[in-house]
Amino acid sequence: AHMEKMNMASSVGRGSIPGPTSRHACHVTGGSWVRSRPVPFRNQRALARAEPSSSASKFGVVLVDHGSKKKESNDMLETFAEMYRKASGRDLVEVAHMEIAEPTIPQALERCVEYGATKVVVAPYFLSPGRHIQKDIPRIVGEAAKKFPGVDIEIADPIGLDPLVAQVIENRVRAKE
């Protein structure tokens, strides 16, 4: 998916961090940001894969959902993260909840950096580009990024309009025919 990038200035001597572009993909250099919280690994195999490597650059992904008071709802993101790890082959995948539950976005970002990430993409597990995508997530990520100068962090577009989503809905409808 195409993501437009927007250079963001760190608040350390360079002004405040502006909001995202209309496509909601944000890019920060020299003070990158991601909305996440450190996620304890529940899967020891995932932890082993995520150990810091000797490579010059390591890529991390933070999957972010809204967060819920219900543990079962929050656990679903971890289940999806495992599916994503397997489908993508990516080693460093963390989960975060925008609010209400842990891990938070700052915690997940910190976890990625601890495991050597020099670039992180925050991937919202949201359908629409509403207020959370346009304002809340960029604000949270921007604040967290101040702690990680030199880490390149971007926010991907939400799930949005995609033929694959239409197929998933059709699969659910057919299951009830």
Side-chain angles (χ1 to χ4, degrees):
H2 177 286
M3 293 192 312
E4 293 177 8
K5 295 181 182 178
M6 180 170 86
N7 287 326
M8 314 281 282
S10 169
S11 65
V12 182
R14 290 193 267 160
S16 63
I17 296 175
T21 65
S22 61
R23 293 271 307 171
H24 312 107
C26 299
H27 176 76
V28 178
T29 55
S32 302
W33 48 274
V34 169
R35 194 176 42 170
S36 67
R37 299 177 185 186
V39 177
F41 279 90
R42 294 184 185 125
N43 180 325
Q44 291 303 313
R45 287 178 295 145
L47 178 60
R49 288 194 315 263
E51 289 298 326
S53 69
S54 60
S55 66
S57 178
K58 185 155 180 111
F59 190 87
V61 175
V62 175
L63 300 172
V64 178
D65 71 1
H66 186 276
S68 174
K69 292 179 183 178
K70 294 183 177 183
K71 182 182 182 315
E72 305 80 37
S73 296
N74 295 326
D75 289 346
M76 192 170 150
L77 184 61
E78 184 63 42
T79 301
F80 176 75
E82 187 58 35
M83 289 170 57
Y84 176 77
R85 283 181 194 105
K86 289 177 183 174
S88 68
R90 297 192 184 281
D91 293 334
L92 185 50
V93 178
E94 294 290 329
V95 300
H97 307 290
M98 188 192 73
E99 59 187 18
I100 302 172
E102 291 192 353
T104 65
I105 292 168
Q107 290 169 337
L109 179 58
E110 182 177 353
R111 186 69 174 210
C112 286
V113 173
E114 285 174 0
Y115 283 98
T118 56
K119 178 170 177 125
V120 179
V121 171
V122 177
Y125 194 62
F126 287 72
L127 283 176
S128 305
R131 183 192 64 178
H132 292 319
I133 298 296
Q134 294 177 8
K135 296 184 184 212
D136 298 332
I137 291 173
R139 176 183 50 78
I140 295 167
V141 170
E143 285 297 315
K146 294 175 186 177
K147 298 177 186 174
F148 308 107
V151 177
D152 181 24
I153 302 169
E154 295 185 51
I155 297 176
D157 288 340
I159 296 166
L161 299 174
D162 189 294
L164 294 173
V165 175
Q167 186 59 56
V168 169
I169 297 298
E170 177 57 12
N171 292 347
R172 301 299 186 265
V173 170
R174 284 184 182 180
K176 298 298 179 179
E177 279 186 316

